[in-house]
Amino acid sequence: MAVCLPDTQDDTPNIPIKLTRVGVTGVKKLLQLERTNKRPIILLPTFDAFVDLPSHQKGVHMSRNPEAISEVLEEVANGSTVDVESLCAKIVEKMMTKHEYAERVEISMTTDFMFMKESPVTKNKTQEMAQLKAKAVGYRTEDNKIEIRKSVGAEVIGMTVCPCAQESVRESDKTKLLEFLDEETTQKVLDTVTFASHNQRGVGTLLIEVPEHKIVKAEDLIDIIETSMSSPVCELLKRPDENATVMNAHRKPVFVEDCVRNMMEKIVQKYGDFPDDTLITARQENQESIHRHNAYAEKVTTLGELKEELNI
């Protein structure tokens, strides 16, 4: 016979305080996503799953979180076609059922995502790596209905060139050129030559809520992030590719702030038909080469607020 063990989590806590997020982190699973007329995508995602905890309950039933993740992934493995943000939404639904006391449930997922790329000149094909992110948050309404908001995003490495340093190099070189050239010739040189600057490895992140019946492709988000920096980077670069990458980057110097603004503008251009309450998060961190610190910028806004700022 099974022994009936006490359910300590349902006891009353000594200090009756409500907690915002309680759960598990670092749950790793194997996930295969089926695609129409394409080979499936194999991912190794890591999940974090949380619920809120009422003040009258001592603890959450922690095992129910990885249990919900496993059950949904098993359903997907049996033939369901689903995107990662909808997968997270399904886990939220399952967790809401298992945690009947919870008013808010949150699940987030991160995984390496491979995509194909060509080098800029030699057109060598190479596998590139990005971080794919997905999240879903569920709310239990007063009439006991469940509302879920889901989002998808990506984190991509690129290259940025500092405009400030480049401008100072340009002015220094202009002064030297004027020592033996006239102003007209000097200006022609300045308009022709690409000037040096210090570079940064940029890490761009973009997250967007996905309304029902709307589709956001990870490849599109990756493209938005990469093109918002000075230049994409590539795993396989031959000498002509290296030259093109460096030259192109120095023709498009950007601050960390520019990267975030570029992402926001491109989001409006790509997903301007989404509802105005669609939440968007863009962040950029540039790993500095001549400083010991990094540079960081971020914007969190709704699509409606963003359109208003851009007068759209």
Side-chain angles (χ1 to χ4, degrees):
M1 293 179 61
V3 178
C4 185
L5 300 174
D7 198 348
T8 312
Q9 288 88 344
D10 290 335
D11 291 350
T12 302
N14 295 330
I15 303 173
I17 294 176
K18 180 178 180 178
L19 301 183
T20 308
R21 298 163 83 226
V22 184
V24 297
T25 62
V27 179
K28 289 187 177 293
K29 295 291 181 181
L30 184 66
L31 174 62
Q32 178 173 304
L33 295 179
E34 300 294 335
R35 297 188 296 173
T36 305
N37 299 325
K38 292 184 179 180
R39 65 182 180 182
I41 299 174
I42 307 298
L43 303 174
L44 187 63
T46 300
F47 293 92
D48 298 335
F50 307 103
V51 302
D52 63 344
L53 184 66
S55 60
H56 59 78
Q57 184 158 326
K58 188 175 183 67
V60 303
H61 296 85
M62 200 76 72
S63 64
R64 296 178 184 177
N65 289 9
E67 181 182 53
I69 295 170
S70 296
E71 289 176 359
V72 171
L73 264 61
E74 186 66 26
E75 293 172 8
V76 172
N78 288 332
S80 300
T81 302
V82 63
D83 49 61
V84 289
E85 65 272 17
S86 297
L87 174 76
C88 288
K90 288 177 179 292
I91 297 172
V92 164
E93 290 178 358
K94 187 83 70 173
M95 288 173 61
M96 278 288 194
T97 302
K98 293 179 179 292
H99 297 279
E100 67 282 353
Y101 49 83
E103 295 180 355
R104 183 184 185 278
V105 170
E106 175 186 329
I107 182 83
S108 60
M109 186 210 84
T110 60
T111 183
D112 289 337
F113 178 75
M114 302 295 297
F115 62 100
M116 295 303 298
K117 196 178 185 67
E118 287 186 345
S119 57
V121 178
T122 62
K123 303 302 179 184
N124 281 313
K125 290 186 177 180
T126 175
Q127 288 184 338
E128 299 296 325
M129 182 78 73
Q131 280 278 312
L132 184 61
K133 299 175 179 289
K135 183 177 181 180
V137 180
Y139 305 91
R140 202 184 302 275
T141 63
E142 292 182 358
D143 54 357
N144 208 35
K145 292 183 179 179
I146 297 174
E147 294 181 358
I148 298 177
R149 302 190 73 130
K150 56 184 181 179
S151 57
V152 67
E155 179 184 291
V156 188
I157 293 174
M159 175 183 177
T160 58
V161 172
C162 177
C164 182
Q166 188 180 61
E167 187 62 26
S168 66
V169 170
R170 185 180 187 277
E171 286 302 309
S172 296
D173 287 347
K174 178 181 179 181
T175 300
K176 293 178 182 178
L177 289 169
L178 286 172
E179 292 177 2
F180 57 88
L181 295 176
D182 58 67
E183 287 194 11
E184 182 179 354
T185 306
T186 296
Q187 190 59 50
K188 288 181 179 179
V189 173
L190 295 176
D191 293 340
T192 303
V193 174
T194 302
F195 290 91
S197 182
H198 74 92
N199 310 143
Q200 303 110 337
R201 170 173 283 189
V203 182
T205 305
L206 187 57
L207 294 164
I208 180 170
E209 277 190 346
V210 184
E212 289 295 329
H213 312 302
K214 295 290 186 179
I215 296 175
V216 175
K217 294 182 179 179
E219 292 86 351
D220 292 337
L221 296 180
I222 290 170
D223 181 67
I224 288 173
I225 297 169
E226 285 191 319
T227 57
S228 295
M229 297 188 234
S230 296
S231 172
V233 295
C234 196
E235 190 70 27
L236 176 59
L237 294 174
K238 306 302 282 185
R239 278 192 293 272
D241 300 312
E242 290 179 346
N243 176 265
T245 298
V246 172
M247 296 295 287
N248 290 337
H250 282 75
R251 293 189 188 104
K252 185 187 172 185
V254 288
F255 287 126
V256 67
E257 299 93 332
D258 295 322
C259 296
V260 172
R261 288 172 172 143
N262 290 341
M263 281 190 269
M264 285 293 177
E265 182 182 52
K266 293 174 188 294
I267 277 286
V268 172
Q269 293 170 350
K270 183 70 178 178
Y271 302 109
D273 61 332
F274 279 23
D276 282 349
D277 64 347
T278 299
L279 187 65
I280 304 166
T281 301
R283 66 177 69 99
Q284 178 80 16
E285 183 170 11
N286 288 347
Q287 299 169 357
E288 293 283 3
S289 59
I290 63 171
H291 305 291
R292 297 189 186 276
H293 59 260
N294 292 339
Y296 183 88
E298 179 181 82
K299 183 173 179 64
V300 181
T301 187
T302 64
L303 186 61
E305 292 169 343
L306 191 55
K307 286 180 177 179
E308 188 174 340
E309 282 192 89
L310 294 172
N311 294 317
I312 297 176

